[in-house]
Structures are given as C-alpha cells and as structure tokens.
Amino acid sequence: MTDTAEKPTLPGWNHTPDVPIQASPFFSWPPDPRRMLDWLSVRWLQFAENTILIVVALITWMWFQPSLETTATLSFDWVFAIWLRNMILIGLVAGGLHWFFYMRHGQGKRLKYDGRPLMTKGKQFNFGGQVRDNMFWTLTSGVGFWTAYEVLMFWAMSNGWAPLLYWSDNPVWFVLVFLLTPVWISFHFYWVHRALHWGPLYKLAHALHHRNINVGPWSGLSMHPVEHLIYFSSILIHFIVPAHPLHILFHMQSQSLTAASSHTGFENLLVKNKKHLALGTFHHQMHHRYFEVNYGNLEMPWDKWFGSFHDGTAEAHERLKERRGRRS
C-alpha cells in the first residue's frame, strides 16, 4: 500500500521521503552558506525536536532537578526522583507516540515508511510480542542506565570531579555547547554503532535491538544493557568539556527521547494534512531493514566517507546489492 500522492523510490516501502537524503552541509565542500542556515533554522529556530528538547530540559531543570548541593551526597530520595522523572518522560514520549500512531491510528498509514503492523508474535522477542519486548528493555535497562549516567554526572559536578560551566562564565560557549551536542552525539554514535556490529559484540548485545526490522516508538531504547552502557557513554565527554546541569539534561534527554521519536516509523506528524513535526528518520529505518548501511546519522557524514551511506535512491540500492554480491 503506497501513498496516493507519490510513488516510493524503493520497492517494498509504503512511503519514502524526498530523496536523495542529504547529510549536514557543514561537512560538504564547497561551503554552501544558504544550506547551512537552512539546516540550523530547521533544527533550532522552528518547531522541531531540538527546540522542544530545550524547553523540556529547561522545565526539568527549573522544577524537577535537585540542586548541586543535594546531589553532592548520594541518597535514595533524589536518585529515585530522577529515575521516576525519566520513567514519566519516556512514558509520555514513547507511550504517547505509540498510542497516537499505533493504537489510535491517528493518521493511518500516511507518511508511514513500512506499511506492515508491528509484530504481535515472534520467538525472537522475550515476551512474545514486539511492543511488550521493547517496553521491557526500555523501561528497565534503558531508563536505568539513563538515570545512572545522569546521577553520575550530577554527583561528579557537585564534588568537583567534572568541570562546571555557568552562563556568567562564558555565555557564547554556554550556547555553543547546546549547538554542538548533537554533533558530538553523532560522532560518538557512529563509532560505537560500528563497534556494536562487530560479530561477538553484535551477538552479545546489538542483536537485541535489531530484532526490530519494522520499528515503533518503543524500539528506540530497546537495547541490551551492554549496549545501553555504551550508547549513553557519550555524556562522559563532560568530564573534560565544562558543562552546566542544563546541558547534561539536554544531552541525556536528546539521546533518550529522540530514540523514541526517531523510531516512530512515520516521517512527520500531520496536522490538517500539513507536516508539522519531523519524527522518524528514513535514513535509520533503512538501517534496520538493510542492516549494513547508515550506521550513523545525518549530523556527520561518516557513512558517506566510509561508503556505507544509503540516500534512499534506487541507485544507492543497486550499489548496496553490488557490494553484497561481491562479498558473497
């Protein structure tokens, strides 16, 4: 079943976005200032994930974050409060997206990449169905490691083990840390993801995430504990790079909450037949189906540089089949 307004570029998909998919213009030559401004505008100056996450991080910091004086001493009450906060956040985001797109069927299959429903059975899932399996790993190991890394960073900042940055110290760098966080996450994600595709580590950990060939919102953080340990370790950069607790919240919520939104399986949220919020990325959805392409994301073009980029065109798919044929 395909969208009536367009024909998919690749066979087997219910919907494909505009292709070829473009990586960040900040790593292209020659420089294209207009594309750079458009890239920043779409991600930071419009109704988009980054702007929403800034607001969520601010609300969290102002009303639901223990002070650095409190986090200087490990105690059950504030650690539990952070764990509960994270449980609520992922429940609202992943649960809300799942309810709207997969239970209420709020926009049917419009803009849905894979037309098939999520699996309700399957021996590969620990609890019989895909959603129950995904929810278990997300809510136990996922929220557990997310919370543990936040607790570690807040405790370290409070005790002088991690350098603190305040707005009054350097307002320009304070803002730049937000802008550079997605780039650092992209750098880190590509390399740890490639490592997770190494045979022994894949069998031990990453195979659990790849149970999801057709993904849904709960699939994003459905990972083995070893993968959660590696995936969230990007935050450790702030043992070197000074940051504020607000940066830590933005960083960790970016990795956690966008894992749900990027695995939604739909390109956009439609409001009155207009695209209003970019969600699932076709770039990563192809990784789940084709496996050996698009290990990173679009903030840094590592896949382009190393020949594993699939831009969603029929030509790129032919190149993938040729590579597979040569290996076989």
Side-chain angles (χ1 to χ4, degrees):
M1 185 176 190
T2 59
D3 292 338
T4 56
E6 58 179 290
K7 294 181 180 180
T9 304
L10 298 176
W13 295 97
N14 175 67
H15 165 76
T16 55
D18 293 335
V19 294
I21 296 168
Q22 298 291 323
S24 170
F26 287 91
F27 297 92
S28 299
W29 190 264
D32 188 337
R34 183 168 185 174
R35 272 196 66 213
M36 291 178 182
L37 288 173
D38 287 344
W39 182 272
L40 289 174
S41 174
V42 166
R43 283 157 178 77
W44 292 100
L45 301 178
Q46 299 180 20
F47 183 60
E49 283 183 340
N50 285 341
T51 52
I52 294 171
L53 286 166
I54 288 286
V55 173
V56 172
L58 274 169
I59 292 172
T60 304
W61 176 62
M62 292 175 67
W63 287 292
F64 302 102
Q65 174 65 21
S67 67
L68 288 175
E69 290 76 16
T70 300
T71 59
T73 303
L74 292 174
S75 64
F76 175 80
D77 53 352
W78 70 265
V79 173
F80 176 78
I82 289 177
W83 173 85
L84 182 61
R85 178 185 77 196
N86 294 340
M87 287 286 283
I88 292 170
L89 281 171
I90 198 65
L92 288 172
V93 175
L97 290 169
H98 179 79
W99 172 81
F100 178 79
F101 287 109
Y102 292 93
M103 297 177 70
R104 184 173 175 263
H105 302 288
Q107 59 188 57
K109 291 187 177 182
R110 297 178 66 192
L111 305 186
K112 188 176 189 297
Y113 299 128
D114 193 319
R116 298 170 297 175
L118 300 178
M119 295 180 68
T120 56
K121 298 179 181 179
K123 293 181 179 179
Q124 71 271 40
F125 299 115
N126 293 111
F127 301 95
Q130 182 178 2
V131 176
R132 290 192 299 273
D133 184 83
N134 288 174
M135 288 181 69
F136 172 81
W137 292 107
T138 296
L139 296 174
T140 54
S141 178
V143 174
F145 276 93
W146 170 11
T147 301
Y149 273 112
E150 285 190 341
V151 168
L152 171 65
M153 295 308 303
F154 298 140
W155 174 83
M157 286 179 159
S158 299
N159 288 281
W161 292 101
L164 272 166
L165 174 69
Y166 292 98
W167 172 268
S168 57
D169 296 331
N170 190 330
V172 173
W173 181 244
F174 194 95
V175 172
L176 281 176
V177 171
F178 288 111
L179 297 176
L180 293 174
T181 292
V183 181
W184 163 246
I185 290 174
S186 177
F187 176 91
H188 177 271
F189 177 68
Y190 174 83
W191 289 105
V192 300
H193 193 185
R194 285 305 299 254
L196 286 162
H197 274 260
W198 174 57
L201 200 50
Y202 181 85
K203 291 178 182 178
L204 171 67
H206 195 47
L208 191 154
H209 184 65
H210 269 281
R211 294 170 180 176
N212 300 285
I213 298 172
N214 179 22
V215 299
W218 287 107
S219 305
L221 276 185
S222 181
M223 303 174 187
H224 188 280
V226 170
E227 181 166 359
H228 282 129
L229 176 68
I230 297 170
Y231 174 74
F232 285 122
S233 66
S234 63
I235 195 65
L236 300 179
I237 188 70
H238 291 299
F239 274 101
I240 301 170
V241 178
H244 187 272
L246 185 58
H247 297 124
I248 303 301
L249 291 169
F250 174 75
H251 187 129
M252 294 302 295
Q253 290 171 1
S254 292
Q255 287 210 274
S256 304
L257 302 182
T258 63
S261 59
S262 66
H263 286 74
T264 300
F266 288 76
E267 182 187 8
N268 290 86
L269 174 68
L270 289 174
V271 179
K272 296 183 179 180
N273 294 321
K274 292 185 178 180
K275 298 177 180 180
H276 278 272
L277 178 63
L279 291 168
T281 59
F282 189 56
H283 175 263
H284 189 68
Q285 184 109 9
M286 285 191 290
H287 174 75
H288 276 268
R289 181 179 288 193
Y290 302 143
F291 187 73
E292 52 198 17
V293 296
N294 300 349
Y295 296 98
N297 59 39
L298 299 176
E299 291 290 341
M300 291 193 76
W302 290 107
D303 284 295
K304 277 193 169 184
W305 294 336
F306 288 101
S308 54
F309 188 63
H310 195 315
D311 64 7
T313 62
E315 293 80 6
H317 201 62
E318 287 301 315
R319 291 194 295 270
L320 170 63
K321 290 193 289 186
E322 288 173 8
R323 290 199 304 273
R324 287 174 169 172
R326 288 195 299 267
R327 280 198 301 273
S328 63

